[in-house]
Amino acid sequence: MSGKHLHCAVNINDEEGTRRVLQAGNVKVDVPDKLSFTPLMVAAQKGFTRLVNILVNHGADVNHKNGSGKDSLMLACFAGHLDVVKYLRKFGASWESRDKGGSTAMHWAADGGHLNVIDYMLRDGCKVDVKDNISLWTPLMRVSAVTGNADVASLLVKAGADVNMRDKDGKTPLMVAVLNNHEELVQLLSEKGADHQVKNEVQ
């Protein structure tokens, strides 16, 4: 039995195959694949809750990070697997963890756009206005720049996200939403107190 056997079993949601490899005792539960994903990361990303349980019960590290610094919680939040998110939190996964760009699980959840996951995260105490290390983007700024999802933005603002927070270039979420033609988001941010008079410090 090898790490390849374990990853093959996890990828196809083969619970018995996963148990068989782990019980053989000669494969580390956190063995990475070619992309530096552990079996737990794969199961979390795919939403295989029962496999997540099996792997954690065999000692999988819920806070292990891949090559880009992402952990299983970030992957589950992005993919929208609420049951997995709750399970990982129960076993010690941290909202404070950051990837190599400084993004947290909330940044990745905002990108994923799954409202039920974001709502749970907010109720569980996940910070809403944390900035990444590269552009100093908050999750709300990520919405303005990437998806334009007004429903996600509304949840974040309701939880206290600062609509006038600036990134490293002096841009606000409203400016970025305008630049990306996210019309519904522009309207929402305007209604929630975004300052139209703020000047872009790049100019």
Side-chain angles (χ1 to χ4, degrees):
M1 294 288 187
S2 67
K4 185 176 180 180
H5 291 107
L6 179 57
H7 275 279
C8 285
V10 170
N11 266 292
I12 61 172
N13 201 17
D14 180 355
E15 296 174 22
E16 285 307 311
T18 298
R19 286 194 184 93
R20 192 161 53 248
V21 175
L22 292 172
Q23 288 168 359
N26 59 343
V27 176
K28 292 183 179 180
V29 69
D30 286 325
V31 60
D33 64 12
K34 292 179 180 178
L35 299 175
S36 73
F37 278 58
T38 65
L40 179 60
M41 290 175 184
V42 174
Q45 187 175 47
K46 290 177 176 286
F48 298 156
T49 308
R50 287 165 62 93
L51 269 186
V52 168
N53 177 279
I54 291 168
L55 292 163
V56 170
N57 285 338
H58 279 83
D61 180 1
V62 298
N63 291 308
H64 190 94
K65 296 185 177 185
N66 66 11
S68 63
K70 294 182 187 67
D71 58 25
S72 297
L73 185 62
M74 294 176 192
L75 296 168
C77 288
F78 175 76
H81 301 306
L82 182 56
D83 287 345
V84 174
V85 171
K86 289 180 176 179
Y87 186 90
L88 292 171
R89 283 289 292 158
K90 180 180 177 182
F91 283 87
S94 173
W95 294 135
E96 303 296 322
S97 180
R98 291 172 176 259
D99 66 17
K100 287 188 175 179
S103 294
T104 65
M106 184 59 82
H107 286 92
W108 289 108
D111 286 354
H114 300 280
L115 299 178
N116 61 332
V117 172
I118 295 170
D119 181 63
Y120 166 76
M121 295 171 75
L122 293 169
R123 287 186 286 106
D124 195 48
C126 187
K127 293 178 181 177
V128 71
D129 259 347
V130 63
K131 296 181 177 182
D132 69 25
N133 297 336
I134 298 174
S135 300
L136 301 183
W137 281 2
T138 62
L140 180 60
M141 182 66 89
R142 281 271 274 267
V143 174
S144 294
V146 181
T147 66
N149 190 320
D151 292 329
V152 170
S154 181
L155 260 184
L156 296 174
V157 172
K158 186 177 180 181
D162 185 350
V163 296
N164 292 307
M165 186 81 76
R166 295 167 179 253
D167 68 7
K168 72 172 185 177
D169 295 322
K171 292 187 178 71
T172 65
L174 178 60
M175 292 175 183
V176 174
V178 169
L179 287 171
N180 287 285
N181 297 312
H182 296 316
E183 295 179 7
E184 186 179 358
L185 182 56
V186 168
Q187 182 178 345
L188 172 73
L189 293 171
S190 298
E191 292 171 354
K192 298 299 183 180
D195 185 358
H196 288 261
Q197 304 303 315
V198 174
K199 292 183 178 180
N200 188 338
E201 293 179 354
V202 173
Q203 296 177 342

